[in-house]
Amino acid sequence: MNRTARLYALVEELRAAAPRSLTVAALAARFEVNPRTVQRDLQALMETGVPVRATAGRGGGWSIDPEMTLRPIRFSAAEASALAIALAAADAATPYAGAARTAAQKIAASMTGPAAVAAQQLAAQLVSLPPATDTVVRGAVEQSLGTNTVLRLSYIDAAGRESDRTVEPAGLLTADGRWYLIAWCRERRAGRGFRLDRITAATPTGEPARPHDLAELLRGSAAAGAVQPATLAALTRPPTKRKAPPREASGPTSRPAGAATRDH
């Protein structure tokens, strides 16, 4: 049994025994490996976010929290293969790529039977060319979006011009294999789209950002037709209906105020 398969099996063994604890010696005997190997495997599971924990003292050992783990998921082989493809596309330049990796490990640990075999076989056949990316920038963007705080960034447009911006994040847009941060730019006093691979530096300020409607910032821009990915619909809550404010009569405009444009 290779290490990857043993990690999955360790999770299943702990889940089957939960809420009881299992000793390292018992697990080592079960998988016919050295106790130090099991200890390293359990530590690796803990570091990737799997809710395993050690209890010291007599009668102690390792256990897993059954309320914080996925129960076995019955994927079809096609569904498991689709997950492998989606996770392979989440390369180092993709927002939340680190969380995607740990989520993949948890999903894999919950899969059993032919679906797990299909996903493992396809995963072994997928390769990618890693792009140049700045994980510090990506982490700053993730933090700013997650906490809804103002972000300071340095940006290089398509013409090679660099500028410093202070932005209030509204969301992320993916188009043509690229990721864009959609935000309200204080310097431009308008919505803007910033390609993540053109952000050379980013620093969250901790200052709370004003709320901005992503669709409103995109309205009238080249990305006005952006829609929510169908695969994410099950994760979102039904939209809250809000009464629209009365409209004032005005002449036609070529671009609504605040519409995002790409800072090429």
Side-chain angles (χ1 to χ4, degrees), residues 141 144-145 148-153 165-172 181-187 189-194 205 207-214 217 258:
V141 170
S144 181
L145 281 166
N148 194 35
T149 51
V150 175
L151 184 68
R152 289 198 186 97
L153 55 85
R165 308 294 187 90
T166 304
V167 303
E168 300 172 1
L172 292 168
L181 170 66
I182 306 301
W184 176 265
C185 178
R186 290 182 175 178
E187 282 72 21
R189 297 184 180 181
R192 288 290 187 269
F194 302 93
T205 65
E207 176 191 347
R210 295 173 301 167
H212 294 279
D213 184 86
L214 179 60
L217 290 188

PDB file of all heavy atoms in Angstrom, residues 141 144-145 148-153 165-172 181-187 189-194 205 207-214 217 258:
ATOM      1  N   VAL A 141      -5.014  39.055  -1.693  1.00  0.00           N
ATOM      2  CA  VAL A 141      -6.326  39.215  -2.348  1.00  0.00           C
ATOM      3  C   VAL A 141      -7.368  38.348  -1.648  1.00  0.00           C
ATOM      4  O   VAL A 141      -8.495  38.787  -1.379  1.00  0.00           O
ATOM      5  CB  VAL A 141      -6.224  38.852  -3.841  1.00  0.00           C
ATOM      6  CG1 VAL A 141      -7.610  38.778  -4.481  1.00  0.00           C
ATOM      7  CG2 VAL A 141      -5.363  39.882  -4.575  1.00  0.00           C
ATOM      8  N   SER A 144      -8.279  39.969   1.685  1.00  0.00           N
ATOM      9  CA  SER A 144      -9.089  41.168   1.512  1.00  0.00           C
ATOM     10  C   SER A 144     -10.529  40.817   1.163  1.00  0.00           C
ATOM     11  O   SER A 144     -11.475  41.414   1.680  1.00  0.00           O
ATOM     12  CB  SER A 144      -8.480  42.050   0.415  1.00  0.00           C
ATOM     13  OG  SER A 144      -9.227  43.230   0.240  1.00  0.00           O
ATOM     14  N   LEU A 145     -10.713  39.820   0.288  1.00  0.00           N
ATOM     15  CA  LEU A 145     -12.064  39.401  -0.078  1.00  0.00           C
ATOM     16  C   LEU A 145     -12.771  38.739   1.100  1.00  0.00           C
ATOM     17  O   LEU A 145     -13.954  38.976   1.337  1.00  0.00           O
ATOM     18  CB  LEU A 145     -12.003  38.425  -1.254  1.00  0.00           C
ATOM     19  CG  LEU A 145     -11.808  39.039  -2.640  1.00  0.00           C
ATOM     20  CD1 LEU A 145     -11.431  37.954  -3.645  1.00  0.00           C
ATOM     21  CD2 LEU A 145     -13.075  39.750  -3.085  1.00  0.00           C
ATOM     22  N   ASN A 148     -13.475  41.487   3.670  1.00  0.00           N
ATOM     23  CA  ASN A 148     -14.081  42.703   3.110  1.00  0.00           C
ATOM     24  C   ASN A 148     -13.334  43.944   3.594  1.00  0.00           C
ATOM     25  O   ASN A 148     -13.925  44.857   4.169  1.00  0.00           O
ATOM     26  CB  ASN A 148     -15.569  42.803   3.458  1.00  0.00           C
ATOM     27  CG  ASN A 148     -16.275  43.855   2.627  1.00  0.00           C
ATOM     28  OD1 ASN A 148     -15.948  44.062   1.464  1.00  0.00           O
ATOM     29  ND2 ASN A 148     -17.239  44.544   3.227  1.00  0.00           N
ATOM     30  N   THR A 149     -12.032  43.957   3.359  1.00  0.00           N
ATOM     31  CA  THR A 149     -11.202  45.081   3.770  1.00  0.00           C
ATOM     32  C   THR A 149     -10.512  45.699   2.558  1.00  0.00           C
ATOM     33  O   THR A 149     -10.323  45.053   1.524  1.00  0.00           O
ATOM     34  CB  THR A 149     -10.132  44.644   4.786  1.00  0.00           C
ATOM     35  OG1 THR A 149      -9.422  43.510   4.277  1.00  0.00           O
ATOM     36  CG2 THR A 149     -10.778  44.276   6.120  1.00  0.00           C
ATOM     37  N   VAL A 150     -10.131  46.948   2.719  1.00  0.00           N
ATOM     38  CA  VAL A 150      -9.474  47.702   1.653  1.00  0.00           C
ATOM     39  C   VAL A 150      -8.108  47.094   1.352  1.00  0.00           C
ATOM     40  O   VAL A 150      -7.404  46.621   2.253  1.00  0.00           O
ATOM     41  CB  VAL A 150      -9.336  49.180   2.063  1.00  0.00           C
ATOM     42  CG1 VAL A 150      -8.531  49.973   1.023  1.00  0.00           C
ATOM     43  CG2 VAL A 150     -10.718  49.802   2.255  1.00  0.00           C
ATOM     44  N   LEU A 151      -7.744  47.105   0.070  1.00  0.00           N
ATOM     45  CA  LEU A 151      -6.495  46.508  -0.386  1.00  0.00           C
ATOM     46  C   LEU A 151      -5.674  47.557  -1.129  1.00  0.00           C
ATOM     47  O   LEU A 151      -6.181  48.283  -1.972  1.00  0.00           O
ATOM     48  CB  LEU A 151      -6.801  45.340  -1.325  1.00  0.00           C
ATOM     49  CG  LEU A 151      -5.640  44.494  -1.853  1.00  0.00           C
ATOM     50  CD1 LEU A 151      -5.017  43.697  -0.722  1.00  0.00           C
ATOM     51  CD2 LEU A 151      -6.148  43.552  -2.945  1.00  0.00           C
ATOM     52  N   ARG A 152      -4.397  47.645  -0.789  1.00  0.00           N
ATOM     53  CA  ARG A 152      -3.471  48.495  -1.546  1.00  0.00           C
ATOM     54  C   ARG A 152      -2.688  47.596  -2.485  1.00  0.00           C
ATOM     55  O   ARG A 152      -2.171  46.557  -2.067  1.00  0.00           O
ATOM     56  CB  ARG A 152      -2.511  49.243  -0.619  1.00  0.00           C
ATOM     57  CG  ARG A 152      -3.165  50.348   0.187  1.00  0.00           C
ATOM     58  CD  ARG A 152      -2.114  51.326   0.732  1.00  0.00           C
ATOM     59  NE  ARG A 152      -2.710  52.308   1.624  1.00  0.00           N
ATOM     60  CZ  ARG A 152      -2.736  52.224   2.942  1.00  0.00           C
ATOM     61  NH1 ARG A 152      -2.168  51.189   3.531  1.00  0.00           N
ATOM     62  NH2 ARG A 152      -3.298  53.159   3.681  1.00  0.00           N
ATOM     63  N   LEU A 153      -2.588  47.989  -3.743  1.00  0.00           N
ATOM     64  CA  LEU A 153      -1.879  47.155  -4.691  1.00  0.00           C
ATOM     65  C   LEU A 153      -1.097  47.981  -5.700  1.00  0.00           C
ATOM     66  O   LEU A 153      -1.386  49.147  -5.939  1.00  0.00           O
ATOM     67  CB  LEU A 153      -2.851  46.205  -5.401  1.00  0.00           C
ATOM     68  CG  LEU A 153      -4.072  46.794  -6.127  1.00  0.00           C
ATOM     69  CD1 LEU A 153      -3.715  47.225  -7.542  1.00  0.00           C
ATOM     70  CD2 LEU A 153      -5.201  45.767  -6.168  1.00  0.00           C
ATOM     71  N   ARG A 165      -2.697  51.567  -6.444  1.00  0.00           N
ATOM     72  CA  ARG A 165      -4.143  51.715  -6.294  1.00  0.00           C
ATOM     73  C   ARG A 165      -4.577  51.360  -4.874  1.00  0.00           C
ATOM     74  O   ARG A 165      -3.950  50.540  -4.203  1.00  0.00           O
ATOM     75  CB  ARG A 165      -4.897  50.807  -7.269  1.00  0.00           C
ATOM     76  CG  ARG A 165      -4.477  50.932  -8.729  1.00  0.00           C
ATOM     77  CD  ARG A 165      -4.800  52.290  -9.336  1.00  0.00           C
ATOM     78  NE  ARG A 165      -4.516  52.277 -10.764  1.00  0.00           N
ATOM     79  CZ  ARG A 165      -5.390  51.930 -11.699  1.00  0.00           C
ATOM     80  NH1 ARG A 165      -6.610  51.556 -11.360  1.00  0.00           N
ATOM     81  NH2 ARG A 165      -5.049  51.935 -12.964  1.00  0.00           N
ATOM     82  N   THR A 166      -5.665  51.952  -4.468  1.00  0.00           N
ATOM     83  CA  THR A 166      -6.345  51.577  -3.232  1.00  0.00           C
ATOM     84  C   THR A 166      -7.744  51.149  -3.648  1.00  0.00           C
ATOM     85  O   THR A 166      -8.494  51.946  -4.229  1.00  0.00           O
ATOM     86  CB  THR A 166      -6.424  52.747  -2.248  1.00  0.00           C
ATOM     87  OG1 THR A 166      -5.099  53.229  -1.988  1.00  0.00           O
ATOM     88  CG2 THR A 166      -7.067  52.311  -0.932  1.00  0.00           C
ATOM     89  N   VAL A 167      -8.082  49.886  -3.388  1.00  0.00           N
ATOM     90  CA  VAL A 167      -9.327  49.342  -3.933  1.00  0.00           C
ATOM     91  C   VAL A 167     -10.180  48.706  -2.841  1.00  0.00           C
ATOM     92  O   VAL A 167      -9.678  48.270  -1.806  1.00  0.00           O
ATOM     93  CB  VAL A 167      -9.038  48.299  -5.039  1.00  0.00           C
ATOM     94  CG1 VAL A 167      -8.202  48.924  -6.148  1.00  0.00           C
ATOM     95  CG2 VAL A 167      -8.341  47.066  -4.476  1.00  0.00           C
ATOM     96  N   GLU A 168     -11.481  48.678  -3.128  1.00  0.00           N
ATOM     97  CA  GLU A 168     -12.463  48.035  -2.250  1.00  0.00           C
ATOM     98  C   GLU A 168     -13.019  46.841  -3.014  1.00  0.00           C
ATOM     99  O   GLU A 168     -13.727  47.007  -4.002  1.00  0.00           O
ATOM    100  CB  GLU A 168     -13.564  49.034  -1.883  1.00  0.00           C
ATOM    101  CG  GLU A 168     -13.022  50.266  -1.164  1.00  0.00           C
ATOM    102  CD  GLU A 168     -14.067  51.358  -0.967  1.00  0.00           C
ATOM    103  OE1 GLU A 168     -15.230  51.154  -1.383  1.00  0.00           O
ATOM    104  OE2 GLU A 168     -13.722  52.413  -0.404  1.00  0.00           O
ATOM    105  N   PRO A 169     -12.687  45.615  -2.583  1.00  0.00           N
ATOM    106  CA  PRO A 169     -13.009  44.424  -3.378  1.00  0.00           C
ATOM    107  C   PRO A 169     -14.503  44.129  -3.444  1.00  0.00           C
ATOM    108  O   PRO A 169     -15.241  44.338  -2.478  1.00  0.00           O
ATOM    109  CB  PRO A 169     -12.269  43.309  -2.639  1.00  0.00           C
ATOM    110  CG  PRO A 169     -12.199  43.783  -1.222  1.00  0.00           C
ATOM    111  CD  PRO A 169     -12.031  45.273  -1.306  1.00  0.00           C
ATOM    112  N   ALA A 170     -14.919  43.636  -4.612  1.00  0.00           N
ATOM    113  CA  ALA A 170     -16.316  43.231  -4.784  1.00  0.00           C
ATOM    114  C   ALA A 170     -16.432  41.759  -5.149  1.00  0.00           C
ATOM    115  O   ALA A 170     -17.436  41.125  -4.842  1.00  0.00           O
ATOM    116  CB  ALA A 170     -16.987  44.086  -5.858  1.00  0.00           C
ATOM    117  N   GLY A 171     -15.417  41.191  -5.810  1.00  0.00           N
ATOM    118  CA  GLY A 171     -15.492  39.783  -6.176  1.00  0.00           C
ATOM    119  C   GLY A 171     -14.430  39.411  -7.177  1.00  0.00           C
ATOM    120  O   GLY A 171     -13.533  40.201  -7.492  1.00  0.00           O
ATOM    121  N   LEU A 172     -14.522  38.187  -7.684  1.00  0.00           N
ATOM    122  CA  LEU A 172     -13.561  37.658  -8.654  1.00  0.00           C
ATOM    123  C   LEU A 172     -14.288  37.289  -9.939  1.00  0.00           C
ATOM    124  O   LEU A 172     -15.423  36.801  -9.913  1.00  0.00           O
ATOM    125  CB  LEU A 172     -12.867  36.418  -8.092  1.00  0.00           C
ATOM    126  CG  LEU A 172     -11.925  36.635  -6.906  1.00  0.00           C
ATOM    127  CD1 LEU A 172     -11.556  35.291  -6.283  1.00  0.00           C
ATOM    128  CD2 LEU A 172     -10.670  37.387  -7.339  1.00  0.00           C
ATOM    129  N   LEU A 181      -9.586  40.530 -10.236  1.00  0.00           N
ATOM    130  CA  LEU A 181     -10.186  41.088  -9.032  1.00  0.00           C
ATOM    131  C   LEU A 181     -11.053  42.262  -9.469  1.00  0.00           C
ATOM    132  O   LEU A 181     -10.560  43.213 -10.077  1.00  0.00           O
ATOM    133  CB  LEU A 181      -9.105  41.565  -8.063  1.00  0.00           C
ATOM    134  CG  LEU A 181      -9.594  42.395  -6.866  1.00  0.00           C
ATOM    135  CD1 LEU A 181     -10.454  41.556  -5.935  1.00  0.00           C
ATOM    136  CD2 LEU A 181      -8.409  43.010  -6.121  1.00  0.00           C
ATOM    137  N   ILE A 182     -12.342  42.188  -9.194  1.00  0.00           N
ATOM    138  CA  ILE A 182     -13.256  43.286  -9.510  1.00  0.00           C
ATOM    139  C   ILE A 182     -13.424  44.115  -8.238  1.00  0.00           C
ATOM    140  O   ILE A 182     -13.761  43.582  -7.181  1.00  0.00           O
ATOM    141  CB  ILE A 182     -14.630  42.774  -9.990  1.00  0.00           C
ATOM    142  CG1 ILE A 182     -14.450  41.800 -11.160  1.00  0.00           C
ATOM    143  CG2 ILE A 182     -15.527  43.941 -10.390  1.00  0.00           C
ATOM    144  CD1 ILE A 182     -13.751  42.383 -12.363  1.00  0.00           C
ATOM    145  N   ALA A 183     -13.146  45.392  -8.345  1.00  0.00           N
ATOM    146  CA  ALA A 183     -13.127  46.236  -7.153  1.00  0.00           C
ATOM    147  C   ALA A 183     -13.472  47.676  -7.514  1.00  0.00           C
ATOM    148  O   ALA A 183     -13.400  48.086  -8.679  1.00  0.00           O
ATOM    149  CB  ALA A 183     -11.742  46.176  -6.493  1.00  0.00           C
ATOM    150  N   TRP A 184     -13.815  48.449  -6.494  1.00  0.00           N
ATOM    151  CA  TRP A 184     -13.991  49.886  -6.640  1.00  0.00           C
ATOM    152  C   TRP A 184     -12.632  50.538  -6.405  1.00  0.00           C
ATOM    153  O   TRP A 184     -12.020  50.367  -5.354  1.00  0.00           O
ATOM    154  CB  TRP A 184     -15.004  50.414  -5.637  1.00  0.00           C
ATOM    155  CG  TRP A 184     -15.162  51.909  -5.687  1.00  0.00           C
ATOM    156  CD1 TRP A 184     -14.533  52.833  -4.921  1.00  0.00           C
ATOM    157  CD2 TRP A 184     -16.004  52.641  -6.576  1.00  0.00           C
ATOM    158  NE1 TRP A 184     -14.907  54.098  -5.266  1.00  0.00           N
ATOM    159  CE2 TRP A 184     -15.824  54.027  -6.284  1.00  0.00           C
ATOM    160  CE3 TRP A 184     -16.898  52.277  -7.591  1.00  0.00           C
ATOM    161  CZ2 TRP A 184     -16.502  55.027  -6.956  1.00  0.00           C
ATOM    162  CZ3 TRP A 184     -17.579  53.289  -8.257  1.00  0.00           C
ATOM    163  CH2 TRP A 184     -17.387  54.630  -7.944  1.00  0.00           C
ATOM    164  N   CYS A 185     -12.144  51.244  -7.433  1.00  0.00           N
ATOM    165  CA  CYS A 185     -10.840  51.885  -7.352  1.00  0.00           C
ATOM    166  C   CYS A 185     -11.027  53.317  -6.865  1.00  0.00           C
ATOM    167  O   CYS A 185     -11.720  54.118  -7.496  1.00  0.00           O
ATOM    168  CB  CYS A 185     -10.168  51.877  -8.720  1.00  0.00           C
ATOM    169  SG  CYS A 185      -8.564  52.711  -8.731  1.00  0.00           S
ATOM    170  N   ARG A 186     -10.422  53.626  -5.729  1.00  0.00           N
ATOM    171  CA  ARG A 186     -10.568  54.967  -5.168  1.00  0.00           C
ATOM    172  C   ARG A 186      -9.883  56.017  -6.031  1.00  0.00           C
ATOM    173  O   ARG A 186     -10.364  57.149  -6.132  1.00  0.00           O
ATOM    174  CB  ARG A 186     -10.005  55.003  -3.743  1.00  0.00           C
ATOM    175  CG  ARG A 186     -10.850  54.226  -2.748  1.00  0.00           C
ATOM    176  CD  ARG A 186     -10.283  54.342  -1.338  1.00  0.00           C
ATOM    177  NE  ARG A 186     -11.154  53.695  -0.372  1.00  0.00           N
ATOM    178  CZ  ARG A 186     -10.864  53.613   0.939  1.00  0.00           C
ATOM    179  NH1 ARG A 186      -9.730  54.127   1.397  1.00  0.00           N
ATOM    180  NH2 ARG A 186     -11.707  53.014   1.762  1.00  0.00           N
ATOM    181  N   GLU A 187      -8.765  55.655  -6.650  1.00  0.00           N
ATOM    182  CA  GLU A 187      -8.058  56.628  -7.495  1.00  0.00           C
ATOM    183  C   GLU A 187      -8.865  56.961  -8.747  1.00  0.00           C
ATOM    184  O   GLU A 187      -8.924  58.117  -9.173  1.00  0.00           O
ATOM    185  CB  GLU A 187      -6.674  56.089  -7.890  1.00  0.00           C
ATOM    186  CG  GLU A 187      -5.611  56.181  -6.803  1.00  0.00           C
ATOM    187  CD  GLU A 187      -5.825  55.182  -5.681  1.00  0.00           C
ATOM    188  OE1 GLU A 187      -6.526  54.163  -5.905  1.00  0.00           O
ATOM    189  OE2 GLU A 187      -5.302  55.401  -4.577  1.00  0.00           O
ATOM    190  N   ARG A 189     -12.128  56.316  -9.015  1.00  0.00           N
ATOM    191  CA  ARG A 189     -13.506  56.562  -8.597  1.00  0.00           C
ATOM    192  C   ARG A 189     -14.495  55.803  -9.494  1.00  0.00           C
ATOM    193  O   ARG A 189     -15.500  56.347  -9.952  1.00  0.00           O
ATOM    194  CB  ARG A 189     -13.827  58.063  -8.608  1.00  0.00           C
ATOM    195  CG  ARG A 189     -12.980  58.849  -7.621  1.00  0.00           C
ATOM    196  CD  ARG A 189     -13.387  60.301  -7.580  1.00  0.00           C
ATOM    197  NE  ARG A 189     -12.573  61.039  -6.624  1.00  0.00           N
ATOM    198  CZ  ARG A 189     -12.722  62.343  -6.364  1.00  0.00           C
ATOM    199  NH1 ARG A 189     -13.658  63.045  -6.997  1.00  0.00           N
ATOM    200  NH2 ARG A 189     -11.938  62.937  -5.486  1.00  0.00           N
ATOM    201  N   ALA A 190     -14.167  54.558  -9.736  1.00  0.00           N
ATOM    202  CA  ALA A 190     -15.000  53.722 -10.600  1.00  0.00           C
ATOM    203  C   ALA A 190     -14.647  52.266 -10.373  1.00  0.00           C
ATOM    204  O   ALA A 190     -13.626  51.946  -9.752  1.00  0.00           O
ATOM    205  CB  ALA A 190     -14.784  54.094 -12.072  1.00  0.00           C
ATOM    206  N   GLY A 191     -15.498  51.383 -10.887  1.00  0.00           N
ATOM    207  CA  GLY A 191     -15.203  49.967 -10.819  1.00  0.00           C
ATOM    208  C   GLY A 191     -14.100  49.610 -11.793  1.00  0.00           C
ATOM    209  O   GLY A 191     -14.036  50.150 -12.906  1.00  0.00           O
ATOM    210  N   ARG A 192     -13.228  48.715 -11.406  1.00  0.00           N
ATOM    211  CA  ARG A 192     -12.123  48.288 -12.248  1.00  0.00           C
ATOM    212  C   ARG A 192     -11.895  46.786 -12.094  1.00  0.00           C
ATOM    213  O   ARG A 192     -12.189  46.202 -11.050  1.00  0.00           O
ATOM    214  CB  ARG A 192     -10.825  49.029 -11.893  1.00  0.00           C
ATOM    215  CG  ARG A 192     -10.800  50.490 -12.322  1.00  0.00           C
ATOM    216  CD  ARG A 192     -10.708  50.589 -13.843  1.00  0.00           C
ATOM    217  NE  ARG A 192     -10.514  51.952 -14.298  1.00  0.00           N
ATOM    218  CZ  ARG A 192     -11.501  52.788 -14.614  1.00  0.00           C
ATOM    219  NH1 ARG A 192     -12.761  52.407 -14.473  1.00  0.00           N
ATOM    220  NH2 ARG A 192     -11.216  54.003 -15.074  1.00  0.00           N
ATOM    221  N   GLY A 193     -11.346  46.185 -13.168  1.00  0.00           N
ATOM    222  CA  GLY A 193     -10.943  44.784 -13.123  1.00  0.00           C
ATOM    223  C   GLY A 193      -9.436  44.682 -13.198  1.00  0.00           C
ATOM    224  O   GLY A 193      -8.827  45.245 -14.114  1.00  0.00           O
ATOM    225  N   PHE A 194      -8.828  43.995 -12.242  1.00  0.00           N
ATOM    226  CA  PHE A 194      -7.371  43.871 -12.175  1.00  0.00           C
ATOM    227  C   PHE A 194      -6.981  42.410 -12.380  1.00  0.00           C
ATOM    228  O   PHE A 194      -7.353  41.553 -11.567  1.00  0.00           O
ATOM    229  CB  PHE A 194      -6.841  44.357 -10.824  1.00  0.00           C
ATOM    230  CG  PHE A 194      -7.194  45.788 -10.516  1.00  0.00           C
ATOM    231  CD1 PHE A 194      -8.333  46.094  -9.785  1.00  0.00           C
ATOM    232  CD2 PHE A 194      -6.382  46.829 -10.952  1.00  0.00           C
ATOM    233  CE1 PHE A 194      -8.660  47.413  -9.489  1.00  0.00           C
ATOM    234  CE2 PHE A 194      -6.695  48.145 -10.670  1.00  0.00           C
ATOM    235  CZ  PHE A 194      -7.839  48.447  -9.940  1.00  0.00           C
ATOM    236  N   THR A 205      -5.173  46.384   4.198  1.00  0.00           N
ATOM    237  CA  THR A 205      -4.985  47.481   5.147  1.00  0.00           C
ATOM    238  C   THR A 205      -5.692  47.239   6.472  1.00  0.00           C
ATOM    239  O   THR A 205      -5.374  47.886   7.470  1.00  0.00           O
ATOM    240  CB  THR A 205      -5.522  48.790   4.556  1.00  0.00           C
ATOM    241  OG1 THR A 205      -6.947  48.679   4.379  1.00  0.00           O
ATOM    242  CG2 THR A 205      -4.871  49.093   3.219  1.00  0.00           C
ATOM    243  N   GLU A 207      -8.657  48.122   6.910  1.00  0.00           N
ATOM    244  CA  GLU A 207      -9.750  49.095   6.912  1.00  0.00           C
ATOM    245  C   GLU A 207     -10.997  48.461   6.299  1.00  0.00           C
ATOM    246  O   GLU A 207     -10.939  47.922   5.188  1.00  0.00           O
ATOM    247  CB  GLU A 207      -9.350  50.322   6.101  1.00  0.00           C
ATOM    248  CG  GLU A 207     -10.472  51.349   5.957  1.00  0.00           C
ATOM    249  CD  GLU A 207     -10.157  52.429   4.934  1.00  0.00           C
ATOM    250  OE1 GLU A 207      -8.981  52.527   4.521  1.00  0.00           O
ATOM    251  OE2 GLU A 207     -11.090  53.156   4.534  1.00  0.00           O
ATOM    252  N   PRO A 208     -12.136  48.495   6.976  1.00  0.00           N
ATOM    253  CA  PRO A 208     -13.355  47.921   6.397  1.00  0.00           C
ATOM    254  C   PRO A 208     -13.711  48.613   5.079  1.00  0.00           C
ATOM    255  O   PRO A 208     -13.632  49.837   4.972  1.00  0.00           O
ATOM    256  CB  PRO A 208     -14.421  48.180   7.471  1.00  0.00           C
ATOM    257  CG  PRO A 208     -13.645  48.346   8.736  1.00  0.00           C
ATOM    258  CD  PRO A 208     -12.359  49.000   8.344  1.00  0.00           C
ATOM    259  N   ALA A 209     -14.052  47.836   4.089  1.00  0.00           N
ATOM    260  CA  ALA A 209     -14.433  48.378   2.787  1.00  0.00           C
ATOM    261  C   ALA A 209     -15.941  48.564   2.717  1.00  0.00           C
ATOM    262  O   ALA A 209     -16.703  47.834   3.353  1.00  0.00           O
ATOM    263  CB  ALA A 209     -13.979  47.437   1.679  1.00  0.00           C
ATOM    264  N   ARG A 210     -16.354  49.532   1.952  1.00  0.00           N
ATOM    265  CA  ARG A 210     -17.784  49.721   1.727  1.00  0.00           C
ATOM    266  C   ARG A 210     -18.302  48.564   0.881  1.00  0.00           C
ATOM    267  O   ARG A 210     -17.578  48.055   0.018  1.00  0.00           O
ATOM    268  CB  ARG A 210     -18.048  51.039   1.000  1.00  0.00           C
ATOM    269  CG  ARG A 210     -17.687  52.283   1.787  1.00  0.00           C
ATOM    270  CD  ARG A 210     -17.839  53.510   0.907  1.00  0.00           C
ATOM    271  NE  ARG A 210     -16.979  53.418  -0.283  1.00  0.00           N
ATOM    272  CZ  ARG A 210     -17.088  54.214  -1.347  1.00  0.00           C
ATOM    273  NH1 ARG A 210     -18.038  55.139  -1.392  1.00  0.00           N
ATOM    274  NH2 ARG A 210     -16.268  54.069  -2.371  1.00  0.00           N
ATOM    275  N   PRO A 211     -19.526  48.136   1.087  1.00  0.00           N
ATOM    276  CA  PRO A 211     -20.063  47.049   0.257  1.00  0.00           C
ATOM    277  C   PRO A 211     -20.311  47.529  -1.169  1.00  0.00           C
ATOM    278  O   PRO A 211     -20.776  48.644  -1.391  1.00  0.00           O
ATOM    279  CB  PRO A 211     -21.374  46.674   0.969  1.00  0.00           C
ATOM    280  CG  PRO A 211     -21.768  47.909   1.717  1.00  0.00           C
ATOM    281  CD  PRO A 211     -20.482  48.570   2.124  1.00  0.00           C
ATOM    282  N   HIS A 212     -19.963  46.685  -2.132  1.00  0.00           N
ATOM    283  CA  HIS A 212     -20.199  47.004  -3.542  1.00  0.00           C
ATOM    284  C   HIS A 212     -20.861  45.813  -4.201  1.00  0.00           C
ATOM    285  O   HIS A 212     -20.497  44.665  -3.954  1.00  0.00           O
ATOM    286  CB  HIS A 212     -18.884  47.322  -4.255  1.00  0.00           C
ATOM    287  CG  HIS A 212     -18.224  48.575  -3.765  1.00  0.00           C
ATOM    288  ND1 HIS A 212     -18.601  49.833  -4.177  1.00  0.00           N
ATOM    289  CD2 HIS A 212     -17.204  48.762  -2.890  1.00  0.00           C
ATOM    290  CE1 HIS A 212     -17.841  50.746  -3.584  1.00  0.00           C
ATOM    291  NE2 HIS A 212     -16.984  50.109  -2.794  1.00  0.00           N
ATOM    292  N   ASP A 213     -21.829  46.086  -5.046  1.00  0.00           N
ATOM    293  CA  ASP A 213     -22.535  45.039  -5.769  1.00  0.00           C
ATOM    294  C   ASP A 213     -21.723  44.647  -7.000  1.00  0.00           C
ATOM    295  O   ASP A 213     -21.446  45.480  -7.865  1.00  0.00           O
ATOM    296  CB  ASP A 213     -23.925  45.523  -6.168  1.00  0.00           C
ATOM    297  CG  ASP A 213     -24.725  44.417  -6.838  1.00  0.00           C
ATOM    298  OD1 ASP A 213     -25.360  43.633  -6.113  1.00  0.00           O
ATOM    299  OD2 ASP A 213     -24.700  44.339  -8.077  1.00  0.00           O
ATOM    300  N   LEU A 214     -21.337  43.376  -7.076  1.00  0.00           N
ATOM    301  CA  LEU A 214     -20.481  42.911  -8.169  1.00  0.00           C
ATOM    302  C   LEU A 214     -21.152  43.125  -9.524  1.00  0.00           C
ATOM    303  O   LEU A 214     -20.527  43.619 -10.471  1.00  0.00           O
ATOM    304  CB  LEU A 214     -20.147  41.430  -7.958  1.00  0.00           C
ATOM    305  CG  LEU A 214     -19.269  40.763  -9.026  1.00  0.00           C
ATOM    306  CD1 LEU A 214     -17.929  41.459  -9.136  1.00  0.00           C
ATOM    307  CD2 LEU A 214     -19.073  39.288  -8.692  1.00  0.00           C
ATOM    308  N   LEU A 217     -21.013  46.770 -10.596  1.00  0.00           N
ATOM    309  CA  LEU A 217     -19.712  47.218 -11.074  1.00  0.00           C
ATOM    310  C   LEU A 217     -19.425  46.695 -12.484  1.00  0.00           C
ATOM    311  O   LEU A 217     -18.720  47.348 -13.258  1.00  0.00           O
ATOM    312  CB  LEU A 217     -18.604  46.749 -10.120  1.00  0.00           C
ATOM    313  CG  LEU A 217     -18.549  47.404  -8.738  1.00  0.00           C
ATOM    314  CD1 LEU A 217     -17.292  46.965  -7.996  1.00  0.00           C
ATOM    315  CD2 LEU A 217     -18.597  48.920  -8.823  1.00  0.00           C
ATOM    316  N   GLY A 258     -19.759  53.783 -12.418  1.00  0.00           N
ATOM    317  CA  GLY A 258     -19.251  52.710 -11.570  1.00  0.00           C
ATOM    318  C   GLY A 258     -18.987  51.422 -12.298  1.00  0.00           C
ATOM    319  O   GLY A 258     -18.487  50.473 -11.724  1.00  0.00           O
TER     320      GLY A 258
END
